Amino acid sequence: RENFVGHQVLRIQPTNEEQISVLRSLAEKHDLGLDFWTEPVSVTKPVDVRIPFKVLQPIKIFLLENDIQYSIMIQDLQDLLDEEERVMKTRSA
Amino acid sequence: QPRNTDGYDYANYHTLNEINSFIDMLVAENPNLVSKIVIGQSYEGRPLNVLKFSTGANRPGIWIDTGIHSREWVTQASGTWFAKKIVTDYGRDPALTAILNKMDIFLEIVTNPDGYAYTHTSNRMWRKTRKPNSGYSCVGVDPNRNWDAGFGGAGASGYPCSETYRGPYANSESEVKSIVDFVKSHGNLKAFVSIHSYSQMLLYPYGYTSTPCKDQSELHALAKKAITDLASLYGTQYTYGSIINTIYQASGGTIDWTYNQGIKYSYTFELRDTGRYGFALPANQIIPTAQETWLALMAIMQHTYNNPY
């Protein structure tokens, strides 16, 4: 079973078209393993992206270097999924 | 396992087998109202089950599907709740009763069963179908980019490892082709609602072109009514509009195809967004999500009923 320990979901708020363009170029880099839950389209819509642990710090640095604001929407995805599974099993029982 | 659909836990997420058992129980409990149609098979050979709610023959129909993107579990869970709501309200709620006395409702609860099963067994984040892509290790196609409406245009990827990979050709995915065949063979669907999650939007065609659809003003007004009704329950605020103007350009999308087939009331939902969990909503959000969405669905279905074409 795929493990998502350390994966974070960041909610990124681009503030101009240039930042959207930067995020789009990031989305094109498939080797990073980023999973865009919502895509970079306009400054009115936040971008949610799941970031694997192995590239988490480089991506955060990249965002800071490009002055792109973000917040952590999900701190550790596996924790959330473990809780989801626990609730499923408990309720089933 | 619950013995009947009253004992089913609607506030919990369920496996594909559990949902399929629910479907069979619902049919067995309501033989004069509900039947199960198998419209095809998934790539891995699973049945594509559709619930048909009908009180007569040769009726116009309303289609609802949930969870074509497998990981959006709150949509399949909402679909299950809708199914129970329909049998509970028929004969009690005058509006739904009137609709069902004149029209059929088709509900596909698990539109992408291979993907859904995969999210329960192997990869909770799986979104696409499970068909291999020749020459690539990456598996699956985004079934909401695989329809024959602007297929291959902007707003879909030609790269098989992308989450928005459109597939090698339109209708390449049996999960899509089966619905296409059903819609064509039925020939009298009047509304088509495809439900996704998340980000709280109600959208109408088009996604592949910025040209407004010819019914835009009516679809826009109905969307406003639907999201107003939805918000009346818990205050959940939705945005609405055409796909291309509200989110982004997306080619090969479901409702663009259904609209071009002549199904005027074609909509797609993006369900509740708490701002904390994305599509991975905790199970305690299932029933509120389904309840509020039902109000919007009723608005669309009532309008369809009141405005024959």
Side-chain angles (χ1 to χ4, degrees):
Chain A
R1 181 177 284 212
E2 190 89 16
N3 191 297
F4 298 96
V5 170
H7 289 219
Q8 289 189 345
V9 179
L10 302 186
R11 174 155 284 191
I12 300 168
Q13 188 57 66
T15 53
N16 55 48
E17 287 299 322
E18 189 182 339
Q19 291 186 352
I20 290 169
S21 177
V22 168
L23 292 171
R24 280 186 184 144
S25 67
L26 202 58
E28 292 299 312
K29 293 178 177 166
H30 295 284
D31 54 323
L32 293 173
L34 306 181
D35 174 11
F36 279 78
W37 290 11
T38 58
E39 295 179 33
V41 283
S42 82
V43 293
T44 61
K45 301 229 179 298
V47 178
D48 297 343
V49 56
R50 173 173 62 85
I51 304 176
F53 179 70
K54 64 181 179 183
V55 294
L56 189 56
Q57 286 312 315
I59 293 294
K60 286 181 173 176
I61 291 167
F62 176 82
L63 294 173
L64 286 170
E65 285 175 348
N66 285 276
D67 201 24
I68 299 175
Q69 295 179 356
Y70 68 88
S71 60
I72 299 171
M73 187 167 87
I74 297 175
Q75 182 73 35
D76 186 321
L77 184 60
Q78 192 59 46
D79 284 349
L80 184 68
L81 301 184
D82 289 345
E83 174 64 9
E84 182 180 69
E85 191 169 5
R86 188 192 65 75
V87 170
M88 274 180 76
K89 286 181 175 169
T90 303
R91 290 190 70 101
S92 295
Chain B
Q1 289 291 315
R3 290 180 183 168
N4 55 48
T5 60
D6 289 331
Y8 189 86
D9 186 1
Y10 297 90
N12 197 11
Y13 291 120
H14 293 272
T15 64
L16 180 62
N17 285 342
E18 288 167 345
I19 293 175
N20 283 336
S21 295
F22 164 85
I23 287 171
D24 290 337
M25 284 191 295
L26 195 76
V27 172
E29 292 167 10
N30 303 276
N32 296 323
L33 178 61
V34 192
S35 56
K36 182 175 82 173
I37 303 171
V38 180
I39 62 168
Q41 281 194 338
S42 66
Y43 171 74
E44 292 177 341
R46 295 183 173 88
L48 299 171
N49 294 324
V50 175
L51 284 169
K52 180 182 181 183
F53 302 85
S54 179
T55 62
N58 301 317
R59 305 277 177 87
I62 293 168
W63 171 279
I64 302 166
D65 66 73
T66 48
I68 201 169
H69 291 144
S70 50
R71 67 190 184 182
E72 298 163 2
W73 283 5
V74 73
T75 56
Q76 294 92 343
S78 295
T80 311
W81 188 93
F82 299 152
K84 180 65 174 174
K85 180 71 171 166
I86 292 170
V87 300
T88 305
D89 280 7
Y90 179 67
R92 295 180 187 171
D93 175 59
L96 180 70
T97 305
I99 292 167
L100 275 172
N101 282 340
K102 204 171 175 180
M103 308 181 81
D104 296 338
I105 297 174
F106 298 92
L107 173 60
E108 188 176 14
I109 295 176
V110 186
T111 311
N112 175 6
D114 293 350
Y116 188 71
Y118 199 68
T119 62
H120 279 270
T121 57
S122 301
N123 183 344
R124 176 67 183 86
M125 294 296 112
W126 194 258
R127 178 178 179 275
K128 300 192 286 185
T129 62
R130 289 295 302 161
K131 189 174 171 183
N133 294 305
S134 179
Y136 288 87
S137 60
C138 298
V139 170
V141 166
D142 180 346
N144 196 32
R145 299 290 189 281
N146 190 239
W147 300 71
D148 194 8
F151 179 84
S157 175
Y159 178 55
C161 296
S162 166
E163 291 290 352
T164 57
Y165 176 48
R166 64 181 181 242
Y169 53 89
N171 303 336
S172 64
E173 305 309 287
S174 63
E175 296 81 358
V176 171
K177 180 69 162 53
S178 298
I179 301 175
V180 166
D181 290 345
F182 175 81
V183 169
K184 286 182 173 175
S185 66
H186 186 282
N188 200 19
L189 292 179
K190 299 299 184 186
F192 192 108
V193 184
S194 188
I195 303 181
H196 298 237
S197 114
Y198 59 103
S199 58
Q200 293 177 195
M201 289 183 278
L202 177 55
L203 308 168
Y204 51 78
Y206 285 112
Y208 73 88
T209 174
S210 56
T211 304
C213 68
K214 65 181 169 53
D215 301 296
Q216 174 151 315
S217 59
E218 183 182 359
L219 295 180
H220 195 78
L222 176 54
K224 183 178 182 182
K225 159 84 169 104
I227 63 123
T228 302
D229 289 0
L230 184 154
S232 69
L233 194 58
Y234 297 112
T236 308
Q237 297 297 308
Y238 270 52
T239 53
Y240 62 103
S242 68
I243 297 168
I244 195 168
N245 287 333
T246 309
I247 337 178
Y248 44 70
Q249 185 169 20
S251 60
T254 310
I255 63 164
D256 284 357
W257 181 80
T258 58
Y259 183 81
N260 285 344
Q261 291 298 301
I263 305 175
K264 178 161 66 166
Y265 301 114
S266 289
Y267 285 98
T268 186
F269 274 94
E270 295 284 350
L271 298 185
R272 182 180 276 222
D273 178 349
T274 62
R276 296 180 60 195
Y277 303 105
F279 55 81
L281 277 185
N284 63 12
Q285 295 283 312
I286 295 170
I287 291 179
T289 303
Q291 287 173 324
E292 66 187 12
T293 308
W294 177 251
L295 299 180
L297 281 175
M298 278 299 293
I300 294 169
M301 291 195 292
Q302 274 187 283
H303 186 90
T304 305
Y305 170 81
N306 290 329
N307 294 274
Y309 63 94

